[in-house]
Amino acid sequence: MGGSMDMSVPATRALADWLAGLDYDDLPESVRAQARVCLLDYLGCALLGATRDQARRLCRLIEQLGGVGQVTLIGSEIKTTPTYAALFNGVLGSASLLLEDTAAESFAHPGVNVVPAALAVAEYVDASGAELLTALVAGYEVAMRVGAAAGWQTFEKGWHSRGAFNVFGAGAAAGKLLGLSSTEAFCAVLGLAGTQASGLVEASSPYDGWLLLSGSGAQDGVLAAFLAADGWTAGCTVIEGSHGYLQAVAAAPRPERVVIGLGERFEIEAITRKRHASSSLTHSAIDLVMELKEQHELTAASIESIDVRTIDIHYLLEGHWPERRLEGPHSLPYLLAVAFLDGEVLDPQFAPERREDPLVRYLFDRVTVSADPELTVKVPAELPAKVTIELKGGRKVEGYRPYPKGDPRDPLTEEELVGKFRRLASSRVGDERLDAIQDWTAAAEVQLSVRDLTRLLAC
C-alpha cells in the first residue's frame, strides 16, 4: 500500500482550516475567471447530457421518489431536493460523453461533482454569483489536492475519481454555501464525505454505472455538508489517518501534497479543458493524428498503418471495436479513425451510422497501440503520445505531443471555449437562452442571484 502513513502531515485539518477562512475577496481575478469558465464548461456538458435516455429515465425516477420541489433538475421543469438535484445534475455532466474538465495530476474530473453540488446548494439558499464562484474554487481546490495526494495510479487499483476523491470537493463547495465557518465544521464535512467515498471502476464504463459515479459523488458531498451543518462529527484525520482515505485507496499515498502551496496557489488554474469527447489520456494521440493529416495533406486511402506509442493504462491498449456509444470514448483506434476522417471527436462521431461507415473500420484496422515505458514515467507531469503514420509506398510521417490541446500549457482560446459551450448546449436550448446563460456566467460576481441562472436551465 505504499508504506506507512506520515501522521505528522495534518492534511485534513489544513484543508478544513483553509476552507473556514476562504472568502471571495481572497480570490485573484484570474482565479475568479477560471471559476466562471469551469461553470460555463460544465453547463454545456450538462445541457447536452440532458438529452440522453439515462437523463430522462433518472428524471422520471426522481419524480416518483418525490421530494420538496426546491432545486432545479437541469434541462427539465422539475424541482426536487438538493441531494437529488446534485445526483441528477452530476449524471448530466458525465452524460456529455467525457467532455468535462480534467485534473491531469490525478486523472480526476472535478467539475462533474463539484459544480452540480455547488449549484444545488446555491439555489437552495438563494446564493449570489460571487458566493457560487467562491464555493467552486473551494471545491476544485479540495478535490484536486486530495486527488493529487492519492495519485493517478488509483485508477489502475480500481478506484475512479468521479465517485472517489471528488466527493471531498463536492462537500467543501456545499459547506461553503451553507455558511459553515469553523475548522471543526469543515473537518466534519470532509470526514462525512470520506465516509461515503466510493467509485469502483469495474461496474463503470461502458455501463450506466459510470454515470452514477459523478452523480453519487455530488449527492454524497451535499449530504455530508448538510449533516455537518446539523452538528454531525467525523474527526479530523479522514484523509491522512492510518485507516483514512489515502491509506485505503492510494498505491503511493502522499499526504504532504495536500498542503504544498495551500493558500499560495489555486489548483483550479491547473485544469485541462477538453475539445474531444473521449478520455483525456487519448487526446495527445488524437491531436497528433489531426495535425499530421493537415501538415502532410494525408488522405484515408494513402494510409498503410498508424502506430501509436502511449502510456501504460490498460484501456488505452485494448482498443476494442465499440459496439455501443459508451464504448467509443475509450477505444483509441476508433477515436483516431473518426478524428482523421472528421477532424473532430464529438457527439456525432459515436452515432450508430458513424460506426457503420466502412471507411472508419478501414482506418480502425490499421491502428496499433502499444505502451512505451519512457512515456509512462512522464505521467502525470505530461500525458504524452508518439504517432507514426506509414503511407502506402513506404514513406513515414511522425510526431510527438507531451500534452493535449486544452492543457494549461496549450489552452483552448476563449473563442474555442465559448464555441464548445454553445455547440453542446444548443442540443437542448435556443440561441436566446444560450446568450442569457453566457451573460450570467460572465457577470456572475456582480451579486446576481444563482436562481436567475437556474431558471434559465429549466427547460
Side-chain angles (χ1 to χ4, degrees):
M1 290 296 295
S4 61
M5 296 295 296
D6 181 1
M7 290 296 290
S8 67
V9 179
T12 309
R13 184 168 292 279
L15 280 180
D17 192 51
W18 178 81
L19 287 166
L22 181 66
D23 186 79
Y24 180 74
D25 292 336
D26 299 332
L27 306 181
E29 173 51 33
S30 62
V31 172
R32 298 175 187 177
Q34 288 295 324
R36 292 193 295 267
V37 175
C38 286
L39 176 60
L40 188 69
D41 199 49
Y42 162 80
L43 292 177
C45 293
L47 285 164
L48 173 59
T51 67
R52 306 294 193 209
D53 180 60
Q54 293 96 333
R56 288 188 284 269
R57 284 160 31 211
L58 182 56
C59 189
R60 287 198 301 268
L61 177 60
I62 288 174
E63 266 197 299
Q64 293 169 11
L65 294 174
V68 178
Q70 299 161 306
V71 181
T72 301
L73 301 185
I74 293 175
S76 81
E77 297 289 348
I78 295 170
K79 288 183 179 289
T80 186
T81 65
T83 50
Y84 277 149
L87 168 68
F88 181 83
N89 294 335
V91 166
L92 295 196
S94 283
S96 67
L97 279 187
L98 287 166
L99 277 161
E100 69 277 16
D101 60 26
T102 300
E105 192 173 354
S106 59
F107 297 174
H109 306 280
V112 292
N113 296 106
V114 171
V115 182
L119 271 178
V121 180
E123 183 176 4
Y124 178 77
V125 302
D126 194 18
S128 69
E131 291 168 328
L132 174 62
L133 294 182
T134 306
L136 293 180
V137 173
Y140 274 76
E141 192 77 15
V142 171
M144 293 173 70
R145 285 181 175 275
V146 175
W152 64 269
Q153 298 93 338
T154 57
F155 183 86
E156 290 295 85
K157 284 177 59 65
W159 294 99
H160 203 296
S161 64
R162 294 169 189 274
F165 29 83
N166 285 350
V167 70
F168 294 99
K176 288 300 293 184
L177 286 157
L178 288 177
L180 302 183
S181 58
S182 72
T183 298
E184 293 306 318
F186 276 108
C187 278
V189 171
L190 297 174
L192 295 165
T195 299
Q196 302 172 87
S198 180
L200 284 174
V201 170
E202 185 64 29
S204 59
S205 182
Y207 310 108
D208 291 343
W210 171 58
L211 303 179
L212 185 61
L213 293 175
S214 300
S216 62
Q219 180 183 41
D220 294 344
V222 170
L223 177 60
F226 273 103
L227 290 172
D230 195 46
W232 286 55
T233 61
C236 210
T237 56
V238 68
I239 296 170
E240 75 278 10
S242 59
H243 294 88
Y245 182 73
L246 294 181
Q247 184 69 9
V249 307
R254 295 190 303 144
E256 70 279 2
R257 174 62 180 85
V258 173
V259 301
I260 294 173
L262 182 63
E264 300 169 5
R265 67 170 192 254
F266 290 90
E267 296 288 326
I268 198 170
E269 295 191 285
I271 280 290
T272 292
R273 297 191 174 90
K274 294 183 174 184
R275 65 168 176 165
H276 307 306
S278 65
S279 165
S280 56
L281 306 187
T282 68
H283 285 209
S284 291
I286 294 171
D287 289 340
L288 274 173
V289 164
M290 292 169 59
E291 289 162 5
L292 290 170
K293 176 188 177 181
E294 182 178 356
Q295 290 167 9
H296 300 280
E297 299 181 341
L298 305 180
T299 65
S302 71
I303 302 297
E304 181 64 33
S305 66
I306 301 175
D307 177 70
V308 181
R309 305 296 176 89
T310 187
I311 63 178
D312 190 5
I313 296 288
H314 70 274
Y315 69 77
L316 292 180
L317 308 176
E318 292 168 352
H320 300 310
W321 177 258
E323 299 294 342
R324 295 178 292 173
R325 178 186 289 267
L326 286 177
E327 293 175 318
H330 290 97
S331 172
L332 189 50
Y334 179 83
L335 294 167
L336 297 183
V338 293
F340 186 95
L341 293 169
D342 300 348
E344 65 180 14
V345 180
L346 291 171
D347 215 43
Q349 279 64 55
F350 303 107
E353 57 269 21
R354 202 72 198 95
R355 299 198 302 272
E356 294 165 4
D357 185 335
L359 198 53
V360 173
R361 188 64 194 235
Y362 171 85
L363 286 178
F364 173 93
D365 289 336
R366 278 154 180 77
V367 177
T368 59
V369 181
S370 58
D372 187 327
E374 293 182 0
L375 300 185
T376 303
V377 297
K378 295 175 184 280
V379 179
E382 297 182 1
L383 298 179
K386 296 178 182 177
V387 172
T388 301
I389 300 179
E390 182 177 352
L391 307 176
K392 291 177 179 176
R395 185 167 74 97
K396 294 182 178 180
V397 298
E398 59 185 12
Y400 171 79
R401 245 193 179 274
Y403 40 77
K405 177 71 173 174
D407 182 278
R409 293 163 288 190
D410 187 10
L412 299 181
T413 66
E414 182 177 356
E415 182 180 2
E416 288 171 325
L417 289 165
V418 170
K420 174 187 173 182
F421 161 73
R422 295 186 73 90
R423 180 166 182 180
L424 301 187
S426 64
S427 60
R428 193 69 183 87
V429 298
D431 286 345
E432 184 176 348
R433 193 169 295 204
L434 288 177
D435 291 341
I437 295 170
Q438 197 176 324
D439 290 345
W440 192 97
T441 57
E445 62 262 60
V446 191
Q447 294 306 309
L448 301 178
S449 169
V450 171
R451 290 179 180 175
D452 291 333
L453 173 63
T454 55
R455 275 192 284 270
L456 296 170
L457 302 175
C459 51

